[in-house]
Amino acid sequence: MRTQVAIVGSGPSGLLLGRLLTAAGIDNVILERTSKEHVLGRVRAGVLEQGTVSLLDEAGAAGRLHREGLPHDGFSIAFSGRLHRIDLHGLTGGRRVTVYGQTEMAHDLMDLRNSDGATSVYEASDVEPHDFDTNAPFVTYSKDGITRRLDCDFIAGCDGSHGICPRSVPQKAVQHYERGYPFGWLGILVERPPVDHELIYVNHERGFALCSMRSHTRSRYYVQCPLDDRVEDWPDQRFWDEIRRRLPEAAAGHVTVGPSFEKSIAPLRSSVTEPMRFGRLFLVGDAAHIVPPTGAKGLNLAVSDVRYLFDALVEFYREGSEAGIDAYSAKALARVWKAERFSWWMTNTLHRFPETGPFGRRIQEAELDYLSRSEAASTAVAENYVGLPY
Ligand code: APR
Ligand code: PHB
């Protein structure tokens, strides 16, 4: 089999890149290790920057998003018993974010790929990129017990942080940057109305908390917990008691308790792989970088990578220029590092770090007090949260 662009991974990066390429008349094949059901079964965040919504519009994939997504003009930070609202719309000249589950976005893109008739191979095992340091790369994989070969012009490694593409690049040519955090997030989903019409991020001496949502009837909550905690340590009642202890009283009184139908614990980390391009192989999204979820940047960074790579590939095929391809890594990393910084700042400012002691806590309180009294500081948070320019 032959195609122009081989895409490894059918997550948001791979699906969006595939849709844009297909719409531009550039042939592509997606090779995905798991099943469609598995991809759609993942519970992931869904705060979309305006740039993400715009690119989904351009891809013709935003119809349901505009019907069902929740536009948010602000969010609040709770600390020292009070709430400070970050007025995204007012501080950024009218920009906002949209709450729309990543799973829904994947669903929409998969449906489009089906109607496009573009080729996706699910449950493809032993996917491996080859000869990407030449102009004739190819990918091998197994399907139904038969080893197959996909010849291509380019390989897009959209296979996430544990993918084969990030593991296949020459390790001597790679610089890894990594920061781990000494805690995890315990998250639940519950079919109950959210606490507020906007998100509430909480800095509390007992730890971080976040009140989010998926719709007007489905809420998503998180509490910071020790890394070695297990889901079994957190029966619903303990979770509800804890989230209400960490919220200011006014908000705690609006928590609608109910049975969780999803509960999981995830570690947090920051990581970046440089560069993001190796000959005819490009790393995209989580395959190149990971952010702690505190800044809601993971999905949005995957989308800006896709924007840059898509534009570069169109330029190559339509104009025969390699300028965009040569510039991809530096351009993507410039935006990645700014989002890494913001996500790191949100994580350091809102979580409890026992090792930094009473001094560290006071610094956090001073940071948040300053933020609540300075329009300049709140504007800096707002413009990062809605998304810096591409
Ligand atoms: N071969 C084929 N597919 C693979 C392989 C492999 N060796 N390894 C991983 N994959 C697939 C995974 O099964 C997954 O479907 O690649 C896909 C990677 O998707 P994501 O991990 O979602 O990464 P990405 O598309 O970059 O999206 C980033 O989605 O998962 C969230 O937190 C993440 O918000 C971020 C965004
Ligand atoms: C979520 O709704 O899952 C969510 C929202 C905002 C974040 C992280 C997660 O910063």
Side-chain angles (χ1 to χ4, degrees):
M1 185 162 50
R2 186 182 214 295
T3 188
Q4 290 173 294
V5 182
I7 299 172
V8 184
S10 183
S13 301
L15 286 166
L16 181 54
L17 179 61
R19 167 63 184 168
L20 289 164
L21 291 172
T22 300
I26 298 170
D27 191 63
N28 62 91
V29 171
I30 292 179
L31 301 173
E32 165 59 48
R33 176 172 61 182
T34 65
S35 66
K36 270 190 186 181
E37 295 70 27
H38 185 88
V39 173
L40 294 175
R42 293 185 190 124
V43 176
R44 291 284 159 75
V47 174
L48 308 187
E49 295 174 355
Q50 203 141 323
T52 296
V53 174
S54 300
L55 192 52
L56 288 167
D57 274 327
E58 183 178 324
R64 194 158 68 103
L65 163 59
H66 289 302
R67 289 194 301 276
E68 299 177 11
L70 305 175
H72 280 205
D73 288 347
F75 68 89
S76 291
I77 298 178
F79 68 100
S80 306
R82 61 194 175 102
L83 278 172
H84 169 62
R85 182 172 183 267
I86 301 288
D87 175 12
L88 298 174
H89 193 265
L91 291 170
T92 64
R95 299 173 68 204
R96 54 168 57 110
V97 294
T98 303
V99 172
Y100 187 68
Q102 179 179 306
T103 309
E104 306 318 315
M105 177 178 152
H107 233 296
D108 300 339
L109 288 164
M110 276 189 192
D111 290 347
L112 274 171
R113 191 160 182 88
N114 291 339
S115 53
D116 286 343
T119 305
S120 293
V121 180
Y122 286 92
E123 297 176 280
S125 52
D126 306 318
V127 175
E128 190 166 353
H130 302 272
D131 291 359
F132 45 83
D133 55 346
T134 75
N135 287 348
F138 63 97
V139 181
T140 53
Y141 65 98
S142 297
K143 177 68 180 174
D144 302 329
I146 301 169
T147 299
R148 303 163 194 261
R149 173 175 167 139
L150 176 63
D151 289 287
C152 53
D153 299 329
F154 299 100
I155 302 170
C158 301
D159 47 344
S161 57
H162 303 295
I164 184 63
C165 291
R167 284 184 280 126
S168 300
V169 300
Q171 291 308 307
K172 62 184 182 305
V174 169
Q175 175 72 49
H176 288 294
Y177 300 86
E178 192 86 20
R179 166 69 57 91
Y181 298 91
F183 43 73
W185 276 19
L186 170 68
I188 73 162
L189 276 172
V190 61
E191 206 64 49
R192 289 291 187 279
V195 178
D196 194 312
H197 69 294
E198 295 176 338
L199 273 60
I200 302 175
Y201 291 80
V202 183
N203 169 294
H204 191 277
E205 62 187 7
R206 294 178 63 85
F208 168 85
L210 171 59
C211 303
S212 182
M213 64 199 75
R214 290 293 176 270
S215 69
H216 294 308
T217 59
R218 178 171 293 185
S219 298
R220 178 71 166 164
Y221 290 97
Y222 298 94
V223 293
Q224 173 183 348
C225 67
L227 266 177
D228 55 3
D229 268 12
R230 298 163 305 132
V231 168
E232 301 75 57
D233 301 328
W234 285 87
D236 280 4
Q237 193 54 55
R238 178 186 177 194
F239 185 90
W240 292 122
D241 292 344
E242 191 60 41
I243 195 99
R244 285 182 291 197
R245 291 179 75 168
R246 298 185 187 184
L247 279 165
E249 263 185 55
H254 290 114
V255 173
T256 309
V257 172
S260 65
F261 66 88
E262 197 276 342
K263 192 181 288 178
S264 55
I265 294 178
L268 282 72
R269 70 189 172 98
S270 303
S271 76
V272 178
T273 295
E274 291 189 1
M276 291 172 56
R277 179 254 178 125
F278 304 85
R280 289 291 179 104
L281 170 66
F282 301 91
L283 299 182
V284 185
D286 274 18
H289 41 73
I290 295 290
V291 284
T294 329
K297 290 300 165 198
L299 177 57
N300 295 296
L301 275 183
V303 170
S304 49
D305 289 353
V306 166
R307 166 89 274 171
Y308 298 140
L309 182 56
F310 170 66
D311 290 347
L313 291 170
V314 167
E315 181 189 66
F316 173 83
Y317 283 110
R318 290 185 182 163
E319 300 169 28
S321 165
E322 300 205 6
I325 287 169
D326 292 342
Y328 166 74
S329 180
K331 196 170 186 179
L333 285 167
R335 193 170 194 272
V336 163
W337 275 111
K338 294 184 182 75
E340 289 281 351
R341 181 211 65 83
F342 177 67
S343 305
W344 168 86
W345 180 84
M346 287 280 278
T347 303
N348 275 284
T349 304
L350 296 175
H351 288 76
R352 188 171 174 279
F353 289 80
E355 65 281 11
T356 59
F359 177 82
R361 182 114 194 91
R362 280 284 181 270
I363 290 294
Q364 287 184 335
E365 289 167 358
E367 179 90 48
L368 291 165
D369 186 42
Y370 166 63
L371 177 66
S372 69
R373 300 173 194 281
S374 162
E375 183 172 327
S378 291
T379 301
V381 170
E383 66 179 11
N384 278 277
Y385 197 85
V386 298
L388 297 179
Y390 278 26

